[in-house]
Amino acid sequence: MTASASTWLIPAAVTPWLLGRAIDTGIEQGIVDALGWVAALLGVIVIGVAGGIAFHTFAVRMWLLGIYGIQRRVTRQSVHLGHVLNRRVPTGEVLSVSASDSDQFGATVDAFGHAIAAAISFLLASVLMLTTSPALGALVLVAVPLLVGASAPVLRPLTRAQEAERTEASSLTSLATDIATGLRILRGVGGERTFAANYERQSQKVRHLGVRLGTWQAVVEAISILLSGLLLVALVYLGSMRLLDGTLTVGELISFFGYAVFLISPMQTFFDFAQKWVQGLVSAAKTMALLSADLPWAPGPQKLSEDPTLFDEASGVTVMPGRMLGLVSADPDASAAMADRLGRYLPEGAPRPRTTTICPSARSGGRGGSGWRSVAVVPPRTPRPQPGPGV
Protein backbone atom coordinates (compact mmCIF):
# COMPACT_ATOMS: atom_id res chain seq x y z
CA MET A 1 0.00 0.00 0.00
CA THR A 2 2.89 2.37 0.79
CA ALA A 3 4.43 1.71 -2.63
CA SER A 4 1.15 2.49 -4.40
CA ALA A 5 0.70 5.65 -2.32
CA SER A 6 4.23 6.71 -3.25
CA THR A 7 3.43 6.10 -6.92
CA TRP A 8 0.50 8.46 -6.44
CA LEU A 9 2.25 11.23 -4.45
CA ILE A 10 5.73 11.28 -6.02
CA PRO A 11 4.42 12.32 -9.47
CA ALA A 12 2.51 15.11 -7.74
CA ALA A 13 5.79 16.29 -6.18
CA VAL A 14 7.63 16.18 -9.52
CA THR A 15 4.86 17.91 -11.51
CA PRO A 16 5.68 21.52 -10.40
CA TRP A 17 9.33 21.06 -11.36
CA LEU A 18 8.43 19.74 -14.84
CA LEU A 19 5.86 22.50 -15.31
CA GLY A 20 8.39 25.19 -14.43
CA ARG A 21 10.99 23.76 -16.82
CA ALA A 22 8.41 23.57 -19.59
CA ILE A 23 7.42 27.23 -19.07
CA ASP A 24 11.00 28.50 -18.95
CA THR A 25 11.96 26.48 -22.04
CA GLY A 26 8.92 27.77 -23.93
CA ILE A 27 9.73 31.39 -23.03
CA GLU A 28 13.43 31.18 -23.81
CA GLN A 29 13.59 28.71 -26.74
CA GLY A 30 10.06 28.43 -28.12
CA ILE A 31 7.11 26.10 -27.91
CA VAL A 32 8.66 23.35 -30.05
CA ASP A 33 11.57 22.88 -27.67
CA ALA A 34 9.15 22.76 -24.71
CA LEU A 35 7.16 19.82 -26.14
CA GLY A 36 9.56 17.30 -24.61
CA TRP A 37 8.93 18.68 -21.13
CA VAL A 38 5.20 18.74 -21.85
CA ALA A 39 5.31 15.06 -22.87
CA ALA A 40 7.25 14.20 -19.71
CA LEU A 41 4.67 16.13 -17.69
CA LEU A 42 1.81 14.20 -19.28
CA GLY A 43 3.59 10.90 -18.63
CA VAL A 44 4.08 11.76 -14.96
CA ILE A 45 0.41 12.71 -14.66
CA VAL A 46 -0.65 9.35 -16.16
CA ILE A 47 1.61 7.51 -13.71
CA GLY A 48 0.09 9.50 -10.85
CA VAL A 49 -3.44 8.64 -11.95
CA ALA A 50 -2.60 4.93 -12.13
CA GLY A 51 -0.89 5.14 -8.74
CA GLY A 52 -3.93 6.84 -7.24
CA ILE A 53 -6.20 4.04 -8.46
CA ALA A 54 -3.82 1.40 -7.09
CA PHE A 55 -3.47 3.24 -3.77
CA HIS A 56 -7.23 3.48 -3.29
CA THR A 57 -7.60 -0.22 -4.07
CA PHE A 58 -4.91 -1.28 -1.60
CA ALA A 59 -6.12 1.20 1.02
CA VAL A 60 -9.63 -0.23 0.98
CA ARG A 61 -8.18 -3.75 1.08
CA MET A 62 -5.98 -2.98 4.09
CA TRP A 63 -8.86 -1.20 5.79
CA LEU A 64 -11.10 -4.23 5.39
CA LEU A 65 -8.33 -6.56 6.55
CA GLY A 66 -7.97 -4.48 9.68
CA ILE A 67 -11.70 -4.51 10.33
CA TYR A 68 -12.39 -8.18 9.71
CA GLY A 69 -9.11 -9.31 11.30
CA ILE A 70 -10.10 -7.74 14.63
CA GLN A 71 -13.68 -8.98 14.34
CA ARG A 72 -12.40 -12.52 13.71
CA ARG A 73 -10.18 -12.38 16.79
CA VAL A 74 -12.97 -10.93 18.93
CA THR A 75 -15.35 -13.68 17.80
CA ARG A 76 -12.76 -16.37 18.52
CA GLN A 77 -12.03 -14.93 21.96
CA SER A 78 -15.75 -14.68 22.75
CA VAL A 79 -16.22 -18.35 21.84
CA HIS A 80 -13.23 -19.34 23.96
CA LEU A 81 -14.49 -17.39 26.97
CA GLY A 82 -17.91 -18.98 26.69
CA HIS A 83 -20.18 -18.40 29.67
CA VAL A 84 -17.64 -16.26 31.54
CA LEU A 85 -17.51 -13.64 28.78
CA ASN A 86 -19.75 -11.13 30.56
CA ARG A 87 -17.83 -11.70 33.78
CA ARG A 88 -14.47 -10.79 32.30
CA VAL A 89 -15.56 -8.07 29.89
CA PRO A 90 -18.81 -6.05 29.77
CA THR A 91 -21.09 -6.98 26.91
CA GLY A 92 -21.07 -3.43 25.58
CA GLU A 93 -17.28 -3.49 25.49
CA VAL A 94 -17.32 -6.57 23.25
CA LEU A 95 -19.80 -4.94 20.88
CA SER A 96 -17.84 -1.67 20.82
CA VAL A 97 -14.57 -3.44 20.07
CA SER A 98 -16.13 -5.45 17.26
CA ALA A 99 -18.12 -2.58 15.75
CA SER A 100 -16.17 0.67 16.26
CA ASP A 101 -12.63 -0.26 17.30
CA SER A 102 -12.19 -2.63 14.37
CA ASP A 103 -13.04 0.21 11.99
CA GLN A 104 -10.56 2.43 13.82
CA PHE A 105 -7.80 -0.14 13.32
CA GLY A 106 -8.51 -0.13 9.59
CA ALA A 107 -8.33 3.67 9.50
CA THR A 108 -5.02 3.65 11.41
CA VAL A 109 -3.46 1.14 9.02
CA ASP A 110 -4.61 3.23 6.06
CA ALA A 111 -3.25 6.45 7.58
CA PHE A 112 0.09 4.81 8.42
CA GLY A 113 0.85 3.80 4.83
CA HIS A 114 -0.35 7.18 3.56
CA ALA A 115 1.87 9.04 6.05
CA ILE A 116 5.01 7.15 4.97
CA ALA A 117 4.33 7.93 1.30
CA ALA A 118 3.65 11.57 2.21
CA ALA A 119 7.01 11.77 4.01
CA ILE A 120 8.82 10.36 0.94
CA SER A 121 7.14 12.79 -1.43
CA PHE A 122 7.78 15.67 1.00
CA LEU A 123 11.50 14.91 1.04
CA LEU A 124 11.58 14.70 -2.77
CA ALA A 125 9.81 18.06 -3.12
CA SER A 126 12.24 19.59 -0.63
CA VAL A 127 15.24 18.32 -2.59
CA LEU A 128 13.82 19.81 -5.81
CA MET A 129 13.27 23.12 -4.03
CA LEU A 130 16.83 23.07 -2.69
CA THR A 131 18.22 22.61 -6.20
CA THR A 132 16.18 25.59 -7.42
CA SER A 133 16.53 27.93 -4.43
CA PRO A 134 18.56 26.70 -1.44
CA ALA A 135 17.17 29.40 0.84
CA LEU A 136 13.51 28.57 0.16
CA GLY A 137 14.19 24.84 0.26
CA ALA A 138 15.90 25.16 3.64
CA LEU A 139 12.95 27.23 4.87
CA VAL A 140 10.54 24.43 3.98
CA LEU A 141 12.72 21.73 5.57
CA VAL A 142 12.89 23.68 8.82
CA ALA A 143 9.36 25.10 8.89
CA VAL A 144 7.31 21.97 8.17
CA PRO A 145 8.56 19.88 11.15
CA LEU A 146 8.07 22.89 13.43
CA LEU A 147 4.55 23.45 12.15
CA VAL A 148 3.63 19.79 12.58
CA GLY A 149 5.14 19.79 16.08
CA ALA A 150 3.02 22.84 16.97
CA SER A 151 -0.02 20.54 17.15
CA ALA A 152 1.59 18.22 19.72
CA PRO A 153 0.11 20.07 22.75
CA VAL A 154 -3.37 19.54 21.33
CA LEU A 155 -2.96 15.77 20.95
CA ARG A 156 -2.89 15.09 24.71
CA PRO A 157 -6.34 16.54 25.47
CA LEU A 158 -7.56 14.89 22.27
CA THR A 159 -6.41 11.53 23.67
CA ARG A 160 -8.17 12.11 26.98
CA ALA A 161 -11.38 13.13 25.22
CA GLN A 162 -11.18 10.05 23.00
CA GLU A 163 -10.70 7.71 25.97
CA ALA A 164 -13.57 9.25 27.94
CA GLU A 165 -15.98 9.12 25.00
CA ARG A 166 -15.00 5.54 24.15
CA THR A 167 -15.48 4.33 27.76
CA GLU A 168 -18.87 5.95 28.22
CA ALA A 169 -20.09 4.78 24.81
CA SER A 170 -19.22 1.21 25.82
CA SER A 171 -21.16 1.67 29.08
CA LEU A 172 -24.14 2.94 27.09
CA THR A 173 -24.02 -0.14 24.85
CA SER A 174 -23.85 -2.41 27.92
CA LEU A 175 -26.85 -0.65 29.42
CA ALA A 176 -28.85 -1.07 26.22
CA THR A 177 -27.92 -4.77 26.10
CA ASP A 178 -29.00 -5.28 29.71
CA ILE A 179 -32.31 -3.57 29.04
CA ALA A 180 -32.97 -5.71 25.95
CA THR A 181 -32.02 -8.89 27.83
CA GLY A 182 -34.18 -8.22 30.89
CA LEU A 183 -37.10 -6.56 29.14
CA ARG A 184 -39.64 -9.09 30.41
CA ILE A 185 -38.49 -8.69 33.98
CA LEU A 186 -38.56 -4.90 33.68
CA ARG A 187 -42.12 -4.96 32.43
CA GLY A 188 -43.06 -7.37 35.18
CA VAL A 189 -41.72 -5.26 38.04
CA GLY A 190 -42.54 -1.91 36.46
CA GLY A 191 -38.96 -0.73 36.06
CA GLU A 192 -39.27 0.67 32.55
CA ARG A 193 -39.16 4.32 33.62
CA THR A 194 -36.18 3.84 35.88
CA PHE A 195 -34.09 2.13 33.21
CA ALA A 196 -35.31 4.58 30.57
CA ALA A 197 -34.12 7.45 32.77
CA ASN A 198 -30.77 5.74 33.29
CA TYR A 199 -30.37 5.22 29.56
CA GLU A 200 -31.31 8.82 28.83
CA ARG A 201 -28.82 10.08 31.41
CA GLN A 202 -26.00 7.93 30.01
CA SER A 203 -26.93 8.86 26.44
CA GLN A 204 -26.71 12.57 27.24
CA LYS A 205 -23.34 12.00 28.88
CA VAL A 206 -22.03 10.28 25.77
CA ARG A 207 -23.42 13.09 23.64
CA HIS A 208 -21.62 15.76 25.67
CA LEU A 209 -18.37 13.80 25.53
CA GLY A 210 -18.82 13.36 21.77
CA VAL A 211 -19.25 17.12 21.36
CA ARG A 212 -16.07 17.70 23.40
CA LEU A 213 -14.17 15.14 21.31
CA GLY A 214 -15.43 16.75 18.11
CA THR A 215 -14.25 20.14 19.38
CA TRP A 216 -10.69 18.91 19.91
CA GLN A 217 -10.71 17.21 16.52
CA ALA A 218 -11.88 20.47 14.95
CA VAL A 219 -9.03 22.30 16.73
CA VAL A 220 -6.48 19.90 15.21
CA GLU A 221 -8.03 20.32 11.76
CA ALA A 222 -8.07 24.10 12.13
CA ILE A 223 -4.41 24.15 13.15
CA SER A 224 -3.45 22.00 10.16
CA ILE A 225 -5.30 24.26 7.71
CA LEU A 226 -4.00 27.46 9.31
CA LEU A 227 -0.36 26.38 9.36
CA SER A 228 -0.52 24.95 5.84
CA GLY A 229 -1.98 28.24 4.61
CA LEU A 230 0.72 30.26 6.37
CA LEU A 231 3.41 28.15 4.71
CA LEU A 232 1.75 28.63 1.31
CA VAL A 233 1.58 32.43 1.75
CA ALA A 234 5.20 32.60 2.95
CA LEU A 235 6.54 30.62 -0.01
CA VAL A 236 4.57 32.64 -2.55
CA TYR A 237 5.65 35.94 -0.98
CA LEU A 238 9.34 35.02 -0.77
CA GLY A 239 9.28 33.58 -4.28
CA SER A 240 7.71 36.78 -5.64
CA MET A 241 10.39 38.86 -3.95
CA ARG A 242 13.12 36.72 -5.51
CA LEU A 243 11.43 37.05 -8.91
CA LEU A 244 11.58 40.84 -8.60
CA ASP A 245 15.24 40.56 -7.61
CA GLY A 246 15.93 38.51 -10.71
CA THR A 247 17.14 35.42 -8.82
CA LEU A 248 14.13 33.36 -9.91
CA THR A 249 12.60 32.90 -13.35
CA VAL A 250 8.89 32.86 -14.09
CA GLY A 251 8.88 29.08 -14.43
CA GLU A 252 10.73 28.66 -11.14
CA LEU A 253 8.22 30.92 -9.37
CA ILE A 254 5.36 28.85 -10.74
CA SER A 255 7.22 25.74 -9.61
CA PHE A 256 7.51 27.14 -6.09
CA PHE A 257 3.83 27.97 -6.05
CA GLY A 258 3.14 24.37 -7.12
CA TYR A 259 5.44 23.08 -4.39
CA ALA A 260 3.62 25.20 -1.82
CA VAL A 261 0.22 23.91 -2.93
CA PHE A 262 1.50 20.32 -2.97
CA LEU A 263 3.04 20.55 0.52
CA ILE A 264 -0.42 21.21 1.97
CA SER A 265 -1.34 17.60 1.25
CA PRO A 266 1.60 15.97 3.13
CA MET A 267 1.13 18.32 6.08
CA GLN A 268 -2.56 17.53 6.40
CA THR A 269 -1.67 13.83 6.03
CA PHE A 270 0.70 14.14 8.99
CA PHE A 271 -2.00 15.82 11.09
CA ASP A 272 -4.54 13.20 10.05
CA PHE A 273 -2.14 10.41 10.96
CA ALA A 274 -1.62 11.97 14.38
CA GLN A 275 -5.37 11.89 15.01
CA LYS A 276 -5.74 8.34 13.73
CA TRP A 277 -2.76 7.21 15.80
CA VAL A 278 -4.27 8.66 18.99
CA GLN A 279 -7.61 7.02 18.29
CA GLY A 280 -5.87 3.76 17.38
CA LEU A 281 -4.01 3.71 20.71
CA VAL A 282 -7.27 4.08 22.61
CA SER A 283 -8.91 1.32 20.56
CA ALA A 284 -5.85 -0.91 21.00
CA ALA A 285 -6.00 -0.59 24.79
CA LYS A 286 -9.68 -1.58 24.83
CA THR A 287 -9.13 -4.45 22.39
CA MET A 288 -6.18 -5.86 24.32
CA ALA A 289 -8.27 -5.86 27.50
CA LEU A 290 -10.67 -8.23 25.73
CA LEU A 291 -8.14 -10.39 23.90
CA SER A 292 -5.95 -10.82 26.99
CA ALA A 293 -8.80 -12.03 29.24
CA ASP A 294 -7.99 -15.35 30.94
CA LEU A 295 -9.69 -18.36 29.37
CA PRO A 296 -11.74 -20.59 31.71
CA TRP A 297 -10.62 -23.75 29.95
CA ALA A 298 -7.27 -25.23 30.82
CA PRO A 299 -5.51 -26.84 27.85
CA GLY A 300 -5.79 -30.62 28.01
CA PRO A 301 -3.04 -33.13 27.31
CA GLN A 302 -4.92 -34.76 24.43
CA LYS A 303 -4.70 -33.48 20.90
CA LEU A 304 -7.71 -33.41 18.63
CA SER A 305 -7.66 -35.74 15.69
CA GLU A 306 -8.43 -34.64 12.16
CA ASP A 307 -12.10 -35.67 12.58
CA PRO A 308 -13.11 -35.01 16.20
CA THR A 309 -16.68 -35.58 17.37
CA LEU A 310 -18.66 -34.02 20.17
CA PHE A 311 -20.79 -36.16 22.48
CA ASP A 312 -23.35 -34.50 24.75
CA GLU A 313 -23.78 -36.74 27.78
CA ALA A 314 -26.96 -35.00 28.97
CA SER A 315 -28.94 -35.69 25.79
CA GLY A 316 -26.88 -38.47 24.19
CA VAL A 317 -26.43 -36.50 20.95
CA THR A 318 -23.24 -37.07 18.96
CA VAL A 319 -22.09 -34.31 16.62
CA MET A 320 -19.97 -35.74 13.80
CA PRO A 321 -17.75 -33.62 11.54
CA GLY A 322 -18.98 -32.85 8.05
CA ARG A 323 -22.63 -33.68 8.78
CA MET A 324 -25.57 -31.32 8.80
CA LEU A 325 -27.28 -31.82 12.15
CA GLY A 326 -30.82 -30.77 12.96
CA LEU A 327 -32.17 -30.62 16.53
CA VAL A 328 -35.81 -31.51 17.16
CA SER A 329 -37.36 -31.15 20.60
CA ALA A 330 -40.82 -30.57 22.04
CA ASP A 331 -39.18 -28.16 24.46
CA PRO A 332 -37.24 -25.39 22.66
CA ASP A 333 -35.35 -24.63 25.85
CA ALA A 334 -33.94 -28.16 25.86
CA SER A 335 -32.43 -27.80 22.38
CA ALA A 336 -31.15 -24.32 23.27
CA ALA A 337 -29.55 -25.73 26.42
CA MET A 338 -27.86 -28.44 24.39
CA ALA A 339 -26.49 -25.86 21.96
CA ASP A 340 -25.15 -23.92 24.95
CA ARG A 341 -23.45 -27.03 26.27
CA LEU A 342 -21.87 -27.81 22.92
CA GLY A 343 -20.64 -24.22 22.60
CA ARG A 344 -19.54 -24.26 26.27
CA TYR A 345 -21.92 -21.43 27.17
CA LEU A 346 -22.89 -23.16 30.39
CA PRO A 347 -22.74 -22.40 34.10
CA GLU A 348 -20.19 -23.88 36.43
CA GLY A 349 -20.84 -27.51 37.34
CA ALA A 350 -22.97 -28.26 34.27
CA PRO A 351 -22.12 -31.39 32.27
CA ARG A 352 -19.72 -30.65 29.47
CA PRO A 353 -19.67 -32.31 26.06
CA ARG A 354 -17.00 -34.91 25.56
CA THR A 355 -14.70 -34.84 22.54
CA THR A 356 -14.02 -38.21 20.96
CA THR A 357 -12.63 -39.62 17.75
CA ILE A 358 -14.70 -41.66 15.32
CA CYS A 359 -13.20 -44.21 12.97
CA PRO A 360 -13.65 -43.54 9.26
CA SER A 361 -15.37 -46.93 8.90
CA ALA A 362 -18.16 -45.80 11.20
CA ARG A 363 -19.31 -43.17 8.74
CA SER A 364 -22.35 -43.96 6.67
CA GLY A 365 -22.33 -42.69 3.13
CA GLY A 366 -20.14 -40.15 1.39
CA ARG A 367 -20.07 -36.44 1.95
CA GLY A 368 -22.41 -35.86 -0.90
CA GLY A 369 -24.90 -38.58 0.08
CA SER A 370 -27.88 -38.52 2.36
CA GLY A 371 -25.94 -40.34 5.07
CA TRP A 372 -24.34 -37.04 5.96
CA ARG A 373 -27.63 -35.52 7.10
CA SER A 374 -28.94 -36.50 10.49
CA VAL A 375 -31.62 -35.41 12.93
CA ALA A 376 -31.14 -35.57 16.68
CA VAL A 377 -34.18 -35.82 18.92
CA VAL A 378 -33.54 -34.04 22.19
CA PRO A 379 -35.67 -35.25 25.12
CA PRO A 380 -37.56 -32.46 26.83
CA ARG A 381 -36.62 -31.44 30.30
CA THR A 382 -38.51 -33.12 33.15
CA PRO A 383 -41.02 -30.61 34.50
CA ARG A 384 -40.78 -29.71 38.14
CA PRO A 385 -43.67 -30.94 40.32
CA GLN A 386 -46.04 -28.19 41.29
CA PRO A 387 -46.84 -27.89 45.01
CA GLY A 388 -50.35 -28.80 46.04
CA PRO A 389 -52.83 -26.55 47.80
CA GLY A 390 -51.83 -27.84 51.21
CA VAL A 391 -48.09 -27.17 50.80
Side-chain angles (χ1 to χ4, degrees):
M1 184 180 69
T2 303
S4 60
S6 300
T7 309
W8 172 46
L9 291 177
I10 288 178
V14 179
T15 297
W17 181 78
L18 292 175
L19 180 61
R21 296 300 298 268
I23 292 176
D24 286 340
T25 303
I27 293 176
E28 297 174 359
Q29 303 177 12
I31 298 177
V32 177
D33 294 331
L35 292 179
W37 293 107
V38 173
L41 179 61
L42 292 176
V44 167
I45 292 175
V46 171
I47 294 175
V49 171
I53 296 174
F55 168 67
H56 180 72
T57 302
F58 282 106
V60 172
R61 181 177 181 273
M62 295 301 295
W63 194 308
L64 294 178
L65 287 177
I67 293 175
Y68 294 123
I70 293 299
Q71 289 181 351
R72 183 174 65 250
R73 285 169 173 80
V74 169
T75 302
R76 184 181 302 161
Q77 181 72 354
S78 301
V79 172
H80 288 170
L81 290 175
H83 65 285
V84 301
L85 173 63
N86 54 3
R87 301 181 191 174
R88 306 287 171 82
V89 183
T91 306
E93 189 74 15
V94 179
L95 296 176
S96 297
V97 169
S98 180
S100 61
D101 290 338
S102 59
D103 182 73
Q104 190 57 55
F105 279 116
T108 305
V109 171
D110 174 36
F112 180 74
H114 196 181
I116 294 178
I120 296 174
S121 62
F122 164 76
L123 293 176
L124 177 60
S126 300
V127 170
L128 293 176
M129 294 178 68
L130 284 172
T131 57
T132 305
S133 175
L136 294 182
L139 172 65
V140 172
L141 285 176
V142 174
V144 170
L146 293 178
L147 295 179
V148 174
S151 65
V154 186
L155 297 180
R156 184 169 297 178
L158 175 64
T159 303
R160 291 196 296 265
Q162 179 73 25
E163 291 176 347
E165 191 274 339
R166 173 63 179 77
T167 301
E168 297 301 331
S170 175
S171 301
L172 180 63
T173 306
S174 298
L175 183 60
T177 304
D178 295 339
I179 293 175
T181 304
L183 189 58
R184 292 183 180 179
I185 300 176
L186 290 179
R187 293 179 64 87
V189 299
E192 299 97 326
R193 294 184 179 180
T194 301
F195 274 82
N198 293 338
Y199 185 85
E200 181 181 1
R201 189 182 309 111
Q202 183 67 20
S203 177
Q204 291 300 318
K205 187 176 182 179
V206 172
R207 184 178 67 84
H208 288 299
L209 291 175
V211 171
R212 190 182 73 171
L213 173 61
T215 301
W216 284 112
Q217 290 178 340
V219 169
V220 175
E221 291 289 341
I223 291 176
S224 68
I225 295 175
L226 174 62
L227 298 182
S228 301
L230 290 177
L231 179 62
L232 172 63
V233 172
L235 286 177
V236 173
Y237 174 77
L238 294 176
S240 301
M241 293 297 100
R242 289 185 173 274
L243 176 65
L244 295 177
D245 295 339
T247 56
L248 283 182
T249 64
V250 175
E252 290 174 342
L253 176 63
I254 293 176
S255 296
F256 267 96
F257 180 78
Y259 293 139
V261 173
F262 166 75
L263 289 177
I264 294 177
S265 175
M267 286 190 61
Q268 291 185 348
T269 300
F270 297 149
F271 284 106
D272 180 68
F273 172 69
Q275 290 190 62
K276 294 295 192 301
W277 183 258
V278 168
Q279 296 170 358
L281 290 178
V282 175
S283 299
K286 299 295 183 180
T287 304
M288 287 304 300
L290 170 61
L291 298 181
S292 61
D294 296 332
L295 300 179
W297 315 104
Q302 287 185 336
K303 293 184 177 180
L304 292 178
S305 63
E306 296 181 358
D307 295 318
T309 61
L310 279 177
F311 176 70
D312 184 38
E313 297 178 354
S315 61
V317 173
T318 299
V319 182
M320 302 175 65
R323 287 190 177 183
M324 180 183 295
L325 178 66
L327 299 179
V328 178
S329 176
D331 185 3
D333 292 337
S335 56
M338 197 206 76
D340 289 340
R341 289 193 299 271
L342 292 175
R344 298 192 295 192
Y345 290 95
L346 69 169
E348 294 292 340
R352 300 177 181 179
R354 185 158 43 88
T355 303
T356 59
T357 302
I358 185 170
C359 299
S361 59
R363 297 175 179 168
S364 59
R367 291 187 180 269
S370 60
W372 283 88
R373 296 182 179 89
S374 57
V375 176
V377 180
V378 182
R381 296 181 300 179
T382 304
R384 297 180 179 179
Q386 301 293 330
V391 179

